[in-house]
Amino acid sequence: MVCQKEPLVQKVCDLYEQISSLESLKPSKDVDMLFTQLVLTCIPPNPIDVNKLCKKIQEMRSKLIRLCGEAEGHLESHFSAILGSYENPLDHLNLFPYYSNYLKLSLLEFNILKQHCSNVPSKVAFVGSGPLPLTSIVLACNHLTATSFHNYDIDPSANSKALQLVTSHPDLSSRMFFHTTDIMDVTSELQEFDVVFLAALVGMDKEEKVKVVDHLSKQMAPGAILMLRSAHGARAFLYPVIDPCDLRGFEVLSVFHPSDEVVNSVVIARKYSMPINSIDHQQTGIGSMIVLPNKCCEILAFNPLSHVTMVEELAVEEKHS
């Protein structure tokens, strides 16, 4: 059982106390300083398993993740408004302090996607796109240049700010769409998408996230790809963790843990072409790697900066006798 005497945990607890005492989480000198310290504390590779934290620290972690989500929302809203004030907002994306991280993460996700998609997706959904939908924008501009992107967010003001960023762009204005709705209320429409991205902060704890994943499993088209963002090691103090065994109805293809400044892990899964109890230990048309509902796949640490073109993957393979 990992508890507060662990130096890393003590440092995170101290930062949590300072962050939770702030009057506001909107961008300011104090907010920026504390969250920078928190990220720098959690980024270095660390073998800590957050599932083994004592109850008190588990509760602190849950509250901290929500504070991180709130602060991230304020930060994105703040910079979206700044960018939206320009005549051509997309020419100024580097004003956002973490823009380079999004470039690296989007390249990583695109390379992972290429490993498992034989065709370029024509329609992509991004769930939880927020006021600054950088993943959709970077993928649309740099990697999936003919694909349409449908961005879902529950917050109308977030979508309003996001729309302002692409309205003046001659290409993206015709390929980027914004839907203000709770994804749990979206049903048959999800059948239209080749790929669905699920943002890290959709579902602020495991139970909430699993509910969303179960809903996507019911509504997505058979064979469609689900890409999720998770966290590993100490980075799990910043974002919720999704384990491969939580992805019921999906074949988990790969899990990637970046070891650089990109915080999020990436999980890619494919919706089964038939219910899992109908597969009956046979190969499907999309491969023979099967993740059973009660088993988790093995996970690999991965540095995208040194392996951007060679993506390694691990999965649980169905063993034949």
Side-chain angles (χ1 to χ4, degrees):
M1 187 70 70
V2 180
C3 217
Q4 200 159 343
K5 62 183 179 181
E6 168 76 29
L8 170 71
V9 175
Q10 179 62 58
K11 176 68 172 174
V12 171
C13 287
D14 291 345
L15 288 167
Y16 165 73
E17 292 299 330
Q18 294 177 69
I19 290 169
S20 61
S21 67
L22 292 169
E23 291 185 7
S24 170
L25 293 178
K26 292 181 179 179
S28 68
K29 183 179 178 181
D30 288 342
V31 170
D32 296 347
M33 178 189 69
L34 287 171
F35 278 101
T36 297
Q37 287 183 33
L38 179 64
V39 171
L40 291 175
T41 299
C42 296
I43 279 287
N46 190 294
I48 191 169
D49 182 353
V50 294
N51 292 319
K52 295 179 180 178
L53 296 172
C54 65
K55 184 178 179 182
K56 178 183 176 183
I57 305 302
Q58 289 278 17
E59 291 172 353
M60 180 279 296
R61 173 179 169 261
S62 296
K63 293 174 184 176
L64 181 59
I65 287 173
R66 292 183 183 275
L67 291 173
C68 289
E70 184 181 343
E72 187 171 315
H74 286 312
L75 183 70
E76 291 187 0
S77 184
H78 174 75
F79 277 94
S80 185
I82 292 173
L83 291 167
S85 67
Y86 287 93
E87 184 177 351
N88 297 302
L90 301 191
D91 293 340
H92 304 276
L93 292 178
N94 58 353
L95 291 175
F96 185 62
Y98 300 106
Y99 178 54
S100 63
N101 284 21
Y102 277 91
L103 290 175
K104 292 172 185 175
L105 178 58
S106 297
L107 176 61
L108 170 61
E109 290 177 325
F110 175 66
N111 281 326
I112 293 170
L113 193 58
K114 282 197 303 182
Q115 299 292 317
H116 300 285
C117 281
S118 54
N119 299 316
V120 177
S122 61
K123 291 184 72 174
V124 167
F126 195 98
V127 180
S129 47
L132 190 58
L134 283 175
T135 298
S136 291
I137 290 171
V138 172
L139 286 172
C141 288
N142 298 353
H143 305 298
L144 299 172
T145 55
T147 301
S148 63
F149 286 78
H150 290 254
N151 300 281
Y152 291 84
D153 201 282
I154 201 169
D155 182 359
S157 66
N159 275 339
S160 178
K161 286 186 173 72
L163 180 61
Q164 181 66 25
L165 300 180
V166 301
T167 298
S168 63
H169 195 278
D171 175 30
L172 262 58
S173 59
S174 65
R175 291 196 290 125
M176 295 274 281
F177 305 91
F178 297 90
H179 308 274
T180 302
T181 185
D182 186 336
I183 198 63
M184 300 297 285
D185 295 329
V186 182
T187 54
S188 58
E189 187 178 322
L190 287 167
Q191 291 266 338
E192 302 172 11
F193 300 109
D194 306 303
V195 181
V196 175
F197 284 81
L198 184 62
L201 293 173
V202 174
M204 296 296 286
D205 59 32
K206 174 168 286 200
E207 290 72 25
E208 292 176 19
K209 194 173 287 286
V210 167
K211 285 181 183 178
V212 176
V213 169
D214 286 347
H215 175 72
L216 294 175
S217 173
K218 291 182 178 73
Q219 303 300 335
M220 286 171 60
I225 292 289
L226 176 63
M227 296 199 72
L228 309 94
R229 292 172 182 173
S230 184
H232 182 63
R235 300 170 186 215
F237 284 108
L238 306 174
Y239 289 101
V241 174
I242 186 77
D243 292 316
C245 49
D246 296 324
L247 302 180
R248 294 185 290 267
F250 291 93
E251 176 190 13
V252 177
L253 303 173
S254 301
V255 181
F256 301 86
H257 296 315
S259 57
D260 65 346
E261 66 271 22
V262 175
V263 177
N264 291 119
S265 301
V266 179
V267 182
I268 182 169
R270 179 185 282 118
K271 182 176 173 182
Y272 282 115
S273 296
M274 62 185 79
I276 192 165
N277 57 6
S278 300
I279 295 176
D280 195 25
H281 302 285
Q282 297 176 6
Q283 290 190 1
T284 69
I286 54 176
S288 61
M289 287 189 288
I290 297 175
V291 179
L292 301 178
N294 61 342
K295 296 174 75 175
C296 291
C297 76
E298 198 173 353
I299 299 171
L300 179 70
F302 177 74
N303 186 338
L305 297 185
S306 59
H307 301 283
V308 290
T309 59
M310 184 176 68
V311 181
E312 297 182 77
E313 62 187 61
L314 290 170
V316 174
E317 293 193 27
E318 181 71 359
K319 292 182 170 61
H320 300 279
S321 56

